[in-house]
Amino acid sequence: MTRGNARRTRPDGHRGAPWPLAVPAAVAVAFLVLPLVGLLVRAPWRQLPTLLGQTAVRQALVLSLETATLATAVSILVGVPLAWVLARVRLRGRSAVQALVTLPLVLPPVVGGVALLLAFGRNGVVGRYLDSWFGITLPFTTAGVVVAETFVAMPFLIVTVEGALLAVDRRYEDAAATLGAGRWLTFRRVTLPMIAPSVAAGAVLCWARALGEFGATITFAGNFPGTTQTMPLAVYLALETDPAAAIALSLLLLAVCVTILIALRQRWVPGVRGPAPAP
Amino acid sequence: MTGRAEGMARAAPDGLVAEMRIERPGFELRMALTVGAGEVVAALGPNGAGKTTLLRTLAGLNPLTAGRITLGRSVLDDPAAEVFVPADRRPVGVVFQDYLLFSHLSARDNVGFGLRARLGLDRRTARDQANGWLDRFGLTGLGDRRPAQLSGGQAQRVALARALAPRPRLVLLDEPLAALDVSTRFEVRAFLRATLADLGAPVLLVTHDPLDAMTVADRLIVLENGRVVQDGRPAEVARRPRTAYVARLVGLNLYAGIASGGSVDLSTGGHLRLADHDARGPVLVAVRPTTVALHTREPHGSPRNVWAGPVTSLEPFGDRVRVTVGSTPSIHADITTAALADLCLGPGTPVWAAIKATDLDVYPAGDHPTGR
């Protein structure tokens, strides 16, 4: 294979990769692509309309899209301000906060789910008061799905936006200050427009991560069709009872992700090109 | 303390009076600065002299380590009294290097930004006033353009309009002409000169280009290594430089030495005979390169200073050629191309540089204005 590549090397200075890099690279590509190929090859194309036409499927899809979008909205609302604080304010213990923020990125989502239960569960540290004071119960509700997804997905947004804030030319903020703009006005009218592409990129990463969330969701919110059963949960459940349906659901999820990613990437998200969305 | 009080009286009621010490890792800026209302002062200095630090401090983007900045009656920064007015509350307008126009806003909205943020005008009034500024600055019809769609000269005017629109009581300009090409520079310089002279507010611009400084400013201060090494009117600075940096900028030979009995012992070695026999003590001697004559044989007879050495460099300088002679000390001579051809000069040619005693400008070295 490498020899074939070498022969095709054009004499215009474009040189092929040396084999210690080319071979592993090819393996990596194959590894990433083959599962998707498997999905496409084994898909029950003929039964597809019937399988996807079921109410349960539509319910799961709608629930997934709704909760992922809500989780992204919540993440933008509180995650962008946190990113700004981390990037602009000299806080004591900032690096500790930074570490905590990125923890959900590496934490097994199931552990996240358990932690959420202990905090926001009916007898949890905070959940107890939510229940007795406001009558709010989060576990095993749709709101609980949003909480679980936000917990796992928000760090993607924070990390992306914080990076953009650190990379932006601060002198523009200085210029705004000398024109009489306070920090809030400067953020709104100068900084935010400058980092908008990164916020969009972070939101896409966050949304994709939320859409695929499984572990924290099933632990914290359970698996009730119509209220907490999102697409990934439906896929997993179907795999045990009806494999063809699982494949069909997976295809649907794949199609949604690819569509969104292509649409956004062409519109205004040059930043997505770098990091691929998490599974 | 008395100096400060005097300065304040001099600059009252709307001038800038600053006594500044700013410490940053590996750098210290220490200087006093007074700019009267309506006066245009240029701070000239090499990179790293502290020009940008000075500007940022006056703008309120960096705090003073010690000292005091007052503008008219208001104290802007006084660490001892725990007073610090941040940038967004200082009546200061800044034109930044590279202009820093907001790329997502139109030229009109860039100019309107300060009108809304500083003066609290509503969107429509700000737009109308911004249009007025654009018209006044010859930018009629360009209000809808984004900064990327403006030429360098136009962007410069928009940046100036943006800084001046909120009626600042102090105007700061950081290398206002550096980003322009030579052809637009000439025109913009004249425009800048006329605009700044009319403001009535104190104006401070920093630049490393002596021509910009001398054409636009009423007064020059020269900064080197965080200190003022010279302060004076442009013509004065150009004629009697106080440091090698200034001398190089204005194209003069400058020598320091001790004068006595009609001659100067130079600190670099060698000596100069003077026409003036009264000069005594530490002096600076400026020699205009056009007054230096070059000979390929040692000249005799007349009462001249003659230094011998090889030609170390030749470079075109306007319609003349600047010849550097590696004598002790070295000297620049500007000669015509015809003279260059007659003398058959090339690198390494041994020559004698002759300077008439009457062509020397000798002045005392002692009275550095603010060399503290």
Side-chain angles (χ1 to χ4, degrees):
Chain A
M1 192 161 113
T2 36
R3 201 172 291 165
N5 279 344
R7 212 169 289 154
R8 262 185 274 119
T9 302
R10 303 209 322 264
D12 62 353
H14 266 291
R15 303 187 38 205
W19 68 264
L21 294 176
V23 173
V27 170
V29 169
F31 181 72
L32 291 174
V33 170
L34 281 178
L36 298 180
V37 172
L39 198 60
L40 293 175
V41 168
R42 299 295 293 273
W45 295 104
R46 234 172 288 155
Q47 298 154 261
L48 212 54
T50 343
L51 285 170
L52 296 181
Q54 294 165 21
T55 331
V57 172
R58 216 187 49 243
Q59 267 182 346
L61 180 64
V62 170
L63 185 71
S64 275
L65 296 177
E66 279 176 358
T67 52
T69 306
L70 267 172
T72 307
V74 172
S75 297
I76 291 174
L77 231 52
V78 298
V80 172
L82 175 56
W84 185 87
V85 169
L86 289 175
R88 290 288 184 274
V89 183
R90 270 185 215 164
L91 272 181
R92 216 177 304 149
R94 188 185 55 176
S95 51
V97 176
Q98 242 153 354
L100 281 175
V101 163
T102 42
L103 187 61
L105 287 176
V106 292
L107 195 72
V110 180
V111 178
V114 172
L116 284 172
L117 268 180
L118 296 180
F120 298 110
R122 209 181 272 268
N123 293 313
V125 184
V126 180
R128 182 181 314 175
Y129 302 105
L130 283 180
D131 190 34
S132 60
W133 292 354
F134 307 106
I136 296 174
T137 320
L138 287 176
F140 311 112
T141 63
T142 306
V145 177
V146 176
V147 168
E149 290 181 352
T150 307
F151 180 79
V152 175
M154 186 159 62
F156 285 85
L157 180 85
I158 296 171
V159 169
T160 311
V161 175
E162 191 194 342
L165 283 168
L166 291 174
V168 111
D169 188 345
R170 299 276 304 265
R171 295 181 308 151
Y172 285 95
E173 296 176 1
D174 292 342
T178 65
L179 291 166
R183 302 196 89 175
W184 168 233
L185 187 64
T186 300
F187 173 76
R188 232 168 11 106
R189 293 207 52 211
V190 175
T191 314
L192 201 53
M194 284 198 293
I195 62 161
S198 297
V199 174
V204 170
L205 291 179
C206 175
W207 186 84
R209 181 67 187 87
L211 190 71
E213 218 304 301
F214 179 86
T217 309
I218 203 165
T219 315
F220 183 61
N223 184 14
F224 305 111
T227 44
T228 70
Q229 190 184 73
T230 57
M231 288 288 280
L233 304 192
V235 171
Y236 185 75
L237 202 71
L239 206 52
E240 293 184 336
T241 55
D242 185 0
I247 298 170
L249 287 167
S250 302
L251 265 180
L252 183 59
L253 211 47
L254 178 68
V256 169
C257 288
V258 169
T259 310
I260 295 285
L261 209 61
I262 289 175
L264 290 182
R265 182 169 166 170
Q266 282 173 345
R267 285 291 295 278
W268 30 259
V269 194
V272 177
R273 211 179 312 155
Chain B
M1 202 62 204
T2 39
R4 183 189 289 175
E6 272 167 27
M8 246 186 265
R10 211 176 341 133
D14 292 319
L16 168 77
V17 180
E19 182 80 45
M20 292 173 283
R21 187 159 70 79
I22 303 142
E23 279 172 15
R24 331 204 71 191
F27 179 78
E28 188 200 51
L29 177 72
R30 194 192 272 264
M31 64 180 288
L33 175 70
T34 309
V35 185
E39 191 185 18
V40 180
V41 172
L44 186 64
N47 287 334
K51 289 173 297 175
T52 299
T53 305
L54 166 66
L55 227 59
R56 288 182 63 85
T57 307
L58 292 173
L61 296 166
N62 289 346
L64 279 179
T65 308
R68 191 171 139 101
I69 300 172
T70 56
L71 182 61
R73 282 155 183 272
S74 29
V75 178
L76 298 181
D77 195 347
D78 187 347
E82 298 196 350
V83 175
F84 177 74
V85 180
D88 56 305
R89 276 184 244 137
R90 280 190 194 191
V92 177
V94 185
V95 176
F96 288 86
Q97 193 172 9
D98 316 323
Y99 316 138
L100 303 183
L101 294 174
F102 304 129
S103 59
H104 59 284
L105 297 180
S106 66
R108 183 186 303 109
D109 288 344
N110 264 283
V111 178
F113 190 97
L115 291 169
R116 295 184 64 192
R118 171 88 70 203
L119 304 184
L121 300 184
D122 63 84
R123 186 185 298 253
R124 272 195 52 199
T125 322
R127 267 173 184 249
D128 290 347
Q129 288 203 13
N131 280 331
W133 279 95
L134 293 175
D135 291 345
R136 210 173 316 163
F137 279 16
L139 297 162
T140 309
L142 300 180
D144 289 325
R145 295 232 187 137
R146 294 291 168 95
Q149 298 166 309
L150 298 170
S151 73
Q154 290 165 347
Q156 209 259 5
R157 285 166 185 235
V158 172
L160 192 61
R162 182 177 73 169
L164 299 184
R167 296 179 218 300
R169 284 164 50 212
L170 167 66
V171 178
L172 307 170
L173 302 99
D174 191 0
E175 302 278 2
L177 297 156
L180 299 174
D181 55 63
V182 181
S183 54
T184 40
R185 229 165 151 151
F186 179 76
E187 170 204 332
V188 173
R189 217 180 262 141
F191 168 76
L192 204 58
R193 162 89 228 161
T195 310
L196 297 180
D198 278 357
L199 280 181
V203 178
L204 177 73
L205 68 106
V206 307
T207 176
H208 67 273
D209 185 324
L211 200 53
D212 291 347
M214 296 195 180
T215 47
V216 177
D218 307 317
R219 184 155 63 87
L220 291 189
I221 55 175
V222 183
L223 274 179
E224 275 178 67
N225 299 319
R227 298 288 190 280
V228 175
V229 294
Q230 191 158 6
D231 182 343
R233 300 169 56 77
E236 203 178 295
V237 174
R239 214 179 64 239
R240 296 188 153 184
R242 294 215 158 271
T243 69
Y245 165 74
V246 186
R248 200 167 56 243
L249 280 183
V250 298
L252 293 181
N253 293 295
L254 182 70
Y255 305 101
I258 310 289
S260 67
S263 109
V264 180
D265 280 322
L266 301 179
S267 57
T268 45
H271 59 272
L272 277 169
R273 253 175 285 159
L274 305 179
D276 170 14
H277 287 253
D278 298 334
R280 240 166 247 307
V283 292
L284 292 170
V285 184
V287 183
R288 194 163 294 283
T290 48
T291 63
V292 179
L294 295 184
H295 304 267
T296 43
R297 258 178 253 145
E298 187 170 6
H300 290 286
S302 50
R304 288 191 281 196
N305 294 290
V306 177
W307 294 346
V311 171
T312 54
S313 85
L314 291 161
E315 39 181 317
F317 193 77
D319 59 342
R320 289 166 167 260
V321 178
R322 172 156 290 187
V323 183
T324 308
V325 181
S327 47
T328 310
S330 70
I331 188 164
H332 301 293
D334 288 353
I335 62 172
T336 61
T337 39
L340 179 74
D342 283 348
L343 292 168
C344 294
L345 295 186
T349 311
V351 291
W352 283 264
I355 314 126
K356 280 190 208 156
T358 48
D359 285 335
L360 300 175
D361 193 354
V362 186
Y363 45 98
D367 61 334
H368 267 217
T370 30
R372 284 165 276 175

